[in-house]
C-alpha cells in the first residue's frame, strides 16, 4: 500500500537539495516550486476515524514531523476572483485577533473578546459563561437555547441580530460584528 | 476530365457545414475543394494563438467573419503562469483590421487586450457585432467606452471574468441614444460603480436584450425597474444584496421576477439576503441553469430553492449545499446534466461544511443525464468512485479536486488509483479528466489503456515515476491538452514520446523533473514544436544542464518561435548550429 518514494531517473536531486533539517531526516513539505517529492502518507489532519485505526498504516519510515501547512501556489485550483470574494469576507478574521464587543443585559459595561481564539461554538459559549458568570442553556436548531434565561445573540454584517449557533462557525466568525447576551424572553 | 463540378453548388453545400473538423476534412479531398472551402469559411477557431500567425491565417482564409482565439495556458487561472507571459491580442486585431473589414465577431480567452486593440475594433470593423473577452486583461473602461460609442451594430458584449481597469463610470453612457441592438451584456467583473441611469436607459431601449449579467455594484433596488424594462430576459445575473430589508422592495422584486416569464438562466446572487430568496420561487420551474457559486446561501435555503427547479440542467453551487442538499438535488432535478460544487473555504484546514463523496454518489445515482462534473471535497474513496463510474457511464467530463494533497482513500488508506481507473474504464466517452488525491503510476496505466477518447488531462501531485507519464503519452490516442504540476515526471518519458507531442495542442509541466538538457534536446529533435522554458529565477544556462526547469510549455506550431517573449521565457533552439536572427 505505502511504497517508498523512489526516483530512478538518475538525476539524484536529493544530493543537491537544500534542506533545513538534519541529514537523514526529511523536512516537511514546503513550497513545492523546486521540489517534486511526493509524500506518500496520510496527513495527520485528516478525519479522526482514520487516525485511530490506521496508525500502523500511516507509518512512513521517512518522516515523523507533520507537514507544514504552508499554502502552495495555485492549490487548491480555484480561480483568483473566487478566492478573493471569500478571502475578503474572511479578511477581518485574518491578521492579529478579531475583537468584538460583548454586552449582557443588565451588565454595567461591555467587554471585548477575540473570536480568533476560539475554534467552535462550545468554546466560545464556555468563555462567555465564565466571563459573565452565567449559564447558557442547551442549543437546538428548532428551539434555540433551552433551559436558561440567557440567550446569546450577535449582530451580523447586515445589522441584523441573529441567534448564535445557527450558521457554520467560519461563517459566523466572518460576519459577527458584536455579541449580546440577552436576558429573559424576547 | 471534361466534367467539372460547379463551384457555386459546392459552396452552397458547404454553407451547411459548420463544424471545423468537417470543414477540415472537406479541404483535404482535393486541391479545388481546398480552394473553394477556404474562400467560403467564415468562422475560425485558434486554440493556441502561438500555434499559427495572423498572416498565415489570413492567407488561408480570406473571408472570415468570426474568430475565436485562446492565449494563456489553462493553469494561468491558478496563477501558475507568470504575469506578462504573453497572449497579446493586438497583433491579431491589427492584422484583421487590414484583412477583414467585415469582421463581425471576436471571442478571446485568456488574452491580453489593450485599449488600443479595443479602439481598433471600434473604428475598423464597420459591422462588428460580438465581442467576448473571457478571462482577459489589459484594458480599461476607456476602451469599452470607444466600443460603446462606435459599434452601432453591437449585439453582444461579454466581459466574463476579465480584469478591467475601472477608470470611468460613464462608459455605458457612450452608447448613443439611437443604439438599440444590444442582445447580451455581461459586465459582472466590473468592480466600480457605473452610471445607473445610463444602464436603465440602455436596457429600456433594447427590445432584443436577452442576457443581462450585472456587476455587484448594481444595487438591489434598481433591479425591479430593470426587470420591468426587460421582461423578455432569458438570462440574468444580479446581486440580491441590500443594507436594509424593505417589504416594499420585496414585493416589487417579486412582481418583477414573476413578469420575466422566459427567464431560463440565473447567476450572481452574491451577498444574497436569504429573506429575498422567495422572490425567485415563481421562476424556479423555468430555470435550466443556476449559478449560485458566488452566493453564500446555506443548505436549508438551497434545498428550498433547488427542489423547485425541476427543469434544471446545470447547477453551479458552493459546498454549503452539503450532502443533504445534493440528495435533494438528486431527487428533484432529473434533467441535470452538469454539476459544479465549489469550496466555500478552500484554504481552511478543517472542513467547514458537511459535504463528502456521498453527495456526488447520490447525484450520480439520481440524475441519469449527468455528464459533466466538477467537484471539490475533502475526502474520497475508491468504492465511491467505482459506484459513480458504474452509475454514470455517460460521463464526459470528470474533474475531482480533493482539497488535501496526497489524500488517500479515507476508508482503506489506499491510493485512489482503482477508483479513477473505474471512471476511465466505465466512462468510455470521457473527454476531460482532472485527478487529485493519493495516486501512483498505476492510475496512469489505467488511463493509458482505457482513456481512448480523453482529450484533456490535468494532473497535480500524482504518480511515482516517468512510467506514469509514459502510460499517458503512449496510451491516450485522442489527447490534445495535458497539464501537469508537481509530478515526478522527467526526461525519459518525454523524449521517448516526443512524436506524440506533435499530435497534441499543448503540454504544460511545472515543478516536475524535466531537465534543461532534455528541453534542449527536444527542441532540436522536434522543429515543429515550440519548447519553451519559463524560468523566473534566472536563465537556465546559469545552472547545470541536469537541473530541472521550473516550468515548461510545449506546443505545436506552424509559425516558428515566438517573437514577443518576456525576459523569463526561452524557446529551445531548433537548430543551434544555424543561428538566424
Amino acid at each position: 500500500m505505502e511504497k517508498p518514494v523512489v526516483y530512478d531517473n538518475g538525476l539524484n536531486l536529493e544530493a543537491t537539495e537544500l534542506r533545513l533539517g538534519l541529514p537523514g531526516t526529511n523536512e516537511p513539505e514546503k513550497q513545492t516550486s523546486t521540489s517534486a517529492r511526493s509524500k506518500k502518507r496520510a496527513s495527520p489532519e485528516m478525519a479522526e476515524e482514520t487516525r485511530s485505526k490506521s496508525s500502523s498504516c500511516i507509518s512512513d519510515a521517512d518522516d515523523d514531523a507533520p507537514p507544514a501547512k504552508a499554502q502552495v501556489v495555485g492549490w487548491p485550483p480555484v480561480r483568483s476572483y473566487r478566492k478573493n470574494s471569500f478571502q475578503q469576507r474572511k479578511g477581518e478574521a485574518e491578521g492579529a485577533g478579531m475583537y468584538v464587543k460583548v454586552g449582557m443585559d443588565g451588565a454595567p459595561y461591555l467587554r471585548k473578546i477575540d473570536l480568533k481564539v476560539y475554534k467552535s461554538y462550545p468554546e466560545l459559549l464556555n468563555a462567555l459563561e465564565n466571563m459573565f458568570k452565567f449559564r447558557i442553556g442547551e442549543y437546538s436548531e428548532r428551539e434555540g437555547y433551552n433551559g436558561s434565561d440567557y440567550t446569546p445573540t450577535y449582530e451580523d454584517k447586515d445589522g441584523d441580530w441573529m441567534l448564535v449557533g445557527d450558521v457554520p462557525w467560519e461563517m459566523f466568525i466572518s460576519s459577527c460584528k458584536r455579541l449580546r447576551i440577552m436576558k429573559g424572553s424576547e | 476530365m471534361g466534367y467539372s463540378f460547379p463551384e457555386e453548388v459546392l459552396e452552397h453545400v458547404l454553407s451547411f457545414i459548420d463544424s471545423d473538423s468537417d470543414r477540415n476534412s472537406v479541404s483535404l479531398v482535393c486541391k479545388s475543394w481546398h480552394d473553394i472551402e477556404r474562400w467560403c469559411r467564415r468562422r475560425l477557431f485558434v486554440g493556441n494563438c502561438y500555434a499559427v500567425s495572423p498572416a498565415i491565417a489570413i492567407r488561408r482564409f480570406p473571408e472570415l467573419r468570426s474568430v475565436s482565439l485562446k492565449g494563456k495556458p489553462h493553469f494561468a487561472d491558478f496563477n501558475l503562469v507568470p504575469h506578462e507571459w504573453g497572449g497579446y491580442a493586438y497583433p491579431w486585431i491589427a492584422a484583421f483590421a487590414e484583412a477583414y473589414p467585415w469582421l463581425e465577431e471576436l471571442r478571446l480567452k485568456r488574452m491580453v487586450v489593450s485599449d488600443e486593440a479595443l479602439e481598433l475594433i471600434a473604428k475598423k470593423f464597420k459591422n462588428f457585432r460580438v465581442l467576448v473577452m473571457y478571462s482577459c486583461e489589459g484594458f480599461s473602461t476607456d476602451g469599452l467606452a470607444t466600443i460603446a460609442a462606435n459599434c452601432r451594430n453591437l449585439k453582444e458584449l461579454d466581459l466574463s471574468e476579465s480584469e478591467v481597469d475601472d477608470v470611468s463610470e460613464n462608459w455605458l453612457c457612450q452608447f448613443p441614444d439611437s443604439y438599440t441592438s444590444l442582445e447580451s451584456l455581461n459586465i459582472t467583473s466590473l468592480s466600480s460603480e457605473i452610471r445607473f441611469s445610463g444602464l436603465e436607459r440602455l436596457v429600456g431601449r433594447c427590445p432584443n436584450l436577452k442576457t443581462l449579467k450585472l456587476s455587484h455594484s448594481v444595487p438591489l433596488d434598481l433591479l425591479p425597474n430593470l426587470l420591468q424594462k426587460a421582461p423578455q430576459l432569458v438570462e440574468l445575473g444580479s446581486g440580491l444584496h441590500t443594507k436594509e430589508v424593505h417589504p416594499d422592495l420585496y414585493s416589487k422584486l417579486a412582481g418583477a421576477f414573476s413578469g420575466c416569464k422566459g427567464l431560463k438562466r440565473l447567476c450572481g446572487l452574491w451577498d444574497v439576503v436569504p429573506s429575498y430568496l422567495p422572490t425567485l420561487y415563481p421562476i424556479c420551474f423555468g430555470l435550466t441553469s443556476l449559478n449560485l457559486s458566488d452566493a453564500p446561501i446555506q443548505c436549508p435555503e438551497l434545498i428550498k430553492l433547488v427542489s423547485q427547479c425541476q427543469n434544471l440542467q446545470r447547477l453551479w453551487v458552493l459546498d454549503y449545499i452539503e450532502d443533504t442538499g445534493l440528495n435533494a438535488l438528486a431527487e428533484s432535478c432529473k434533467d441535470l446534466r452538469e454539476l459544479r460544487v465549489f469550496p466555500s473555504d478552500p484554504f481552511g484546514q478543517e472542513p467547514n461544511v458537511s459535504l463528502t463523496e456521498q453527495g456526488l454518489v447520490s447525484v450520480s445515482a439520481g440524475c441519469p443525464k449527468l455528464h459533466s462534473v466538477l467537484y471539490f471535497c475533502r475526502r474520497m474513496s475508491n468504492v465511491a468512485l467505482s459506484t459513480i463510474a458504474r452509475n454514470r457511464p455517460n460521463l464526459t467530463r470528470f474533474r475531482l479536486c480533493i482539497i488535501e494533497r496526497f489524500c488517500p482513500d479515507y476508508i482503506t488508506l489506499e491510493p485512489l488509483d482503482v477508483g479513477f481507473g473505474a471512471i476511465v474504464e466505465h466512462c468510455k466517452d470521457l473527454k476531460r479528466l482532472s485527478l487529485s488525491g493519493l495516486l501512483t503510476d498505476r492510475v496512469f496505466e489505467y488511463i493509458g489503456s482505457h482513456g481512448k477518447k480523453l482529450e484533456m488531462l490535468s494532473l497535480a501531485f500524482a504518480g511515482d515515476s516517468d512510467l506514469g507519464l509514459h502510460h499517458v503519452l503512449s496510451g491516450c490516442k485522442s489527447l490534445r491538452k495535458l497539464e501537469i504540476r508537481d509530478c515526478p515526471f522527467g526526461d525519459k518519458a518525454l523524449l521517448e514520446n516526443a512524436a506524440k507531442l506533435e499530435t497534441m495542442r499543448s503540454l504544460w509541466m511545472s515543478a516536475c523533473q524535466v531537465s534543461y538538457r532534455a528541453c534542449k534536446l527536444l527542441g532540436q529533435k522536434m522543429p515543429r514544436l515550440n519548447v519553451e522554458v519559463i524560468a523566473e529565477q534566472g536563465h537556465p544556462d546559469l545552472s547545470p544542464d541536469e537541473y530541472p526547469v521550473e516550468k515548461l510549455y510545449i506546443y505545436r506550431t506552424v509559425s516558428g518561435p515566438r517573437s514577443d517573449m518576456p525576459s523569463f521565457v526561452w524557446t529551445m533552439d531548433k537548430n543551434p548550429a544555424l543561428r538566424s536572427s
Side-chain angles (χ1 to χ4, degrees):
Chain A
M1 176 195 336
E2 296 289 351
K3 290 199 276 181
V5 175
V6 171
Y7 296 111
D8 196 20
N9 53 17
L11 286 184
N12 195 20
L13 287 178
E14 199 180 324
T16 54
E17 189 184 298
L18 290 176
R19 292 155 151 244
L20 294 181
L22 293 171
T25 62
N26 272 358
E27 72 192 34
E29 191 84 40
K30 291 234 170 54
Q31 288 288 331
T32 54
S33 50
T34 49
S35 153
R37 310 253 12 279
S38 59
K39 297 283 181 190
K40 303 274 199 176
R41 54 176 173 70
S43 62
E45 63 260 21
M46 287 188 61
E48 295 300 316
E49 57 254 41
T50 61
R51 207 177 301 179
S52 53
K53 72 179 181 185
S54 60
S55 47
S56 56
C57 302
I58 307 180
S59 73
D60 180 342
D62 289 340
D63 198 342
D64 285 320
K69 295 179 189 182
Q71 249 182 46
V72 173
V73 175
W75 190 266
V78 287
R79 300 284 314 273
S80 37
Y81 76 92
R82 203 175 287 286
K83 205 175 7 171
N84 283 340
S85 63
F86 291 101
Q87 288 291 65
Q88 270 157 17
R89 277 170 212 166
K90 295 181 68 147
E92 298 105 295
E94 239 70 55
M98 216 206 117
Y99 285 88
V100 296
K101 290 183 193 167
V102 192
M104 174 141 125
D105 283 348
Y109 48 80
L110 303 178
R111 302 295 303 271
K112 261 204 159 165
I113 57 166
D114 180 4
L115 287 181
K116 284 203 80 172
V117 164
Y118 312 105
K119 300 281 172 277
S120 66
Y121 285 119
E123 275 182 40
L124 170 66
L125 295 174
N126 210 30
L128 290 175
E129 284 178 331
N130 286 336
M131 188 179 260
F132 291 97
K133 307 279 179 281
F134 72 108
R135 215 185 51 82
I136 290 172
E138 189 100 272
Y139 172 78
S140 75
E141 213 184 280
R142 284 187 65 206
E143 294 172 303
Y145 291 87
N146 250 340
S148 147
D149 265 351
Y150 297 95
T151 309
T153 63
Y154 71 100
E155 186 183 9
D156 75 356
K157 275 203 276 231
D158 293 318
D160 298 324
W161 284 93
M162 319 285 293
L163 185 70
V164 169
D166 281 343
V167 303
W169 177 253
E170 291 298 335
M171 201 197 191
F172 165 72
I173 293 250
S174 62
S175 57
C176 173
K177 290 267 157 305
R178 54 199 300 178
L179 286 159
R180 178 149 208 90
I181 318 290
M182 295 194 169
K183 189 168 178 207
S185 50
E186 185 67 23
Chain B
M1 290 258 272
Y3 173 78
S4 74
F5 197 71
E7 271 186 30
E8 299 81 23
V9 177
L10 183 58
E11 264 194 53
H12 183 69
V13 170
L14 289 184
S15 67
F16 297 103
I17 299 182
D18 259 339
S19 112
D20 283 341
S21 55
D22 286 344
R23 279 202 164 245
N24 291 345
S25 305
V26 163
S27 65
L28 289 174
V29 167
C30 63
K31 272 189 94 170
S32 78
W33 279 41
H34 184 278
D35 214 38
I36 294 166
E37 193 283 316
R38 60 182 266 267
W39 277 96
C40 68
R41 190 171 316 203
R42 298 283 175 265
R43 321 184 73 91
L44 180 66
F45 169 78
V46 179
N48 173 5
C49 65
Y50 292 118
V52 65
S53 68
I56 294 175
I58 291 169
R59 192 166 65 227
R60 172 141 180 220
F61 300 116
E63 299 272 336
L64 295 179
R65 295 275 184 278
S66 161
V67 180
S68 299
L69 290 172
K70 293 191 183 181
K72 300 185 205 174
H74 173 238
F75 272 176
D77 284 357
F78 316 126
N79 300 327
L80 289 179
V81 177
H83 199 49
E84 315 251 305
W85 172 85
Y88 304 106
Y90 187 87
W92 287 88
I93 295 173
F96 291 162
E98 296 305 312
Y100 304 131
W102 298 109
L103 190 71
E104 295 176 5
E105 304 180 353
L106 263 181
R107 293 180 172 84
L108 308 171
K109 184 168 181 178
R110 283 191 210 101
M111 294 196 80
V112 178
V113 186
S114 58
D115 280 347
E116 289 71 32
L118 291 180
E119 206 178 319
L120 268 186
I121 294 174
K123 305 265 172 75
K124 298 285 191 169
F125 302 122
K126 299 301 172 200
N127 196 22
F128 199 71
R129 291 168 182 257
V130 172
L131 180 60
V132 176
M133 293 191 283
Y134 180 89
S135 196
C136 295
E137 52 166 344
F139 61 98
S140 77
T141 44
D142 282 350
L144 296 178
T146 324
I147 297 277
N150 291 282
C151 298
R152 296 300 150 98
N153 295 322
L154 195 69
K155 282 193 320 188
E156 182 175 342
L157 179 61
D158 183 342
L159 309 176
S160 302
E161 305 191 16
S162 290
E163 272 180 47
V164 185
D165 205 2
D166 274 321
V167 293
S168 73
E169 54 178 36
N170 253 339
W171 70 272
L172 262 185
C173 301
Q174 299 302 313
F175 282 112
D177 288 338
S178 54
Y179 168 74
T180 57
S181 38
L182 194 63
E183 294 180 19
S184 170
L185 182 66
N186 180 336
I187 51 171
T188 46
S189 54
L190 289 178
S191 48
S192 72
E193 305 287 308
I194 50 170
R195 273 288 169 82
F196 301 130
S197 52
L199 177 63
E200 270 204 55
R201 284 199 311 270
L202 181 63
V203 169
R205 65 177 187 268
C206 295
N208 295 320
L209 189 67
K210 294 284 188 309
T211 297
L212 182 62
K213 290 161 112 171
L214 305 168
S215 65
H216 60 71
S217 66
V218 177
L220 183 57
D221 37 17
L222 198 65
L223 194 55
N225 279 355
L226 287 174
L227 292 179
Q228 264 144 26
K229 290 187 154 69
Q232 75 283 1
L233 279 182
V234 171
E235 182 165 11
L236 175 70
S238 167
L240 277 192
H241 165 74
T242 182
K243 290 234 171 354
E244 290 137 17
V245 180
H246 286 300
D248 198 34
L249 179 53
Y250 183 100
S251 53
K252 271 200 209 153
L253 198 58
F257 272 124
S258 309
C260 293
K261 307 232 182 287
L263 205 55
K264 286 200 166 1
R265 298 189 287 275
L266 184 64
C267 65
L269 303 189
W270 38 79
D271 289 340
V272 64
V273 174
S275 30
Y276 278 101
L277 285 174
T279 58
L280 297 172
Y281 293 166
I283 53 158
C284 283
F285 188 75
L287 288 181
T288 56
S289 165
L290 188 53
N291 180 352
L292 302 174
S293 58
D294 289 310
I297 308 176
Q298 298 301 306
C299 186
E301 273 80 36
L302 275 173
I303 293 182
K304 278 193 215 129
L305 199 57
V306 152
S307 337
Q308 299 184 62
C309 299
Q310 289 93 347
N311 288 309
L312 207 59
Q313 295 178 15
R314 177 169 62 180
L315 177 67
W316 291 22
V317 72
L318 288 169
D319 55 10
Y320 291 134
I321 196 169
E322 302 193 328
D323 289 343
T324 34
L326 291 174
N327 291 341
L329 180 70
E331 273 178 47
S332 314
C333 304
K334 294 304 185 187
D335 208 20
L336 195 71
R337 324 250 166 130
E338 178 182 334
L339 174 68
R340 295 195 189 192
V341 178
F342 295 98
S344 53
D345 186 21
F347 307 108
Q349 299 295 331
E350 302 295 324
N352 60 322
V353 291
S354 177
L355 178 113
T356 69
E357 80 286 4
Q358 288 312 313
L360 186 56
V361 172
S362 290
V363 179
S364 74
C367 301
K369 296 195 194 161
L370 184 73
H371 71 86
S372 174
V373 170
L374 168 61
Y375 199 75
F376 281 80
C377 60
R378 289 176 187 266
R379 72 176 203 201
M380 187 49 64
S381 64
N382 283 312
V383 67
L385 282 171
S386 303
T387 308
I388 292 165
R390 273 168 241 268
N391 286 343
R392 288 281 62 78
N394 51 324
L395 284 176
T396 57
R397 286 170 178 77
F398 189 72
R399 298 158 73 185
L400 180 69
C401 179
I402 306 166
I403 290 176
E404 181 83 34
R405 297 172 295 147
F406 312 116
C407 191
D409 177 323
Y410 76 97
I411 301 172
T412 65
L413 295 191
E414 306 244 321
L416 290 169
D417 301 337
V418 167
F420 279 108
I423 295 277
V424 288
E425 194 190 330
H426 292 275
C427 306
K428 301 203 188 302
D429 290 324
L430 196 69
K431 290 205 298 202
R432 183 166 180 183
L433 179 64
S434 301
L435 308 180
S436 58
L438 184 64
L439 296 163
T440 72
D441 282 346
R442 195 112 175 274
V443 72
F444 299 115
E445 213 183 308
Y446 295 136
I447 292 175
S449 37
H450 295 289
K452 297 308 179 188
K453 300 248 182 96
L454 203 58
E455 295 179 8
M456 182 170 178
L457 181 61
S458 308
L459 309 176
F461 306 103
D464 305 315
S465 74
D466 259 17
L467 205 49
L469 181 58
H470 175 73
H471 285 311
V472 170
L473 289 177
S474 57
C476 297
K477 301 260 163 281
S478 312
L479 197 62
R480 291 188 301 117
K481 290 184 280 184
L482 180 57
E483 48 184 23
I484 305 175
R485 65 161 297 178
D486 293 275
C487 295
F489 300 147
D491 301 348
K492 196 156 176 283
L494 207 56
L495 291 171
E496 271 176 15
N497 292 282
K500 168 74 173 177
L501 299 176
E502 264 187 31
T503 69
M504 293 165 52
R505 183 189 296 175
S506 65
L507 166 64
W508 169 278
M509 292 179 77
S510 55
C512 295
Q513 294 189 320
V514 181
S515 70
Y516 184 44
R517 173 181 296 134
C519 294
K520 288 194 280 191
L521 209 57
L522 199 59
Q524 284 163 32
K525 211 169 135 175
M526 311 293 299
R528 286 188 296 227
L529 294 179
N530 277 350
V531 178
E532 291 176 5
V533 168
I534 298 171
E536 288 177 281
Q537 301 190 357
H539 197 294
D541 274 343
L542 302 172
S543 333
D545 274 6
E546 314 85 73
Y547 272 32
V549 297
E550 286 169 35
K551 299 175 185 182
L552 180 59
Y553 188 48
I554 302 173
Y555 55 91
R556 65 182 175 189
T557 181
V558 294
S559 61
R562 282 174 62 179
S563 54
D564 63 352
M565 290 179 295
S567 58
F568 49 84
V569 178
W570 291 273
T571 308
M572 298 297 99
D573 272 338
K574 299 180 196 262
N575 198 337
L578 305 167
R579 298 232 161 204
S580 52
S581 55

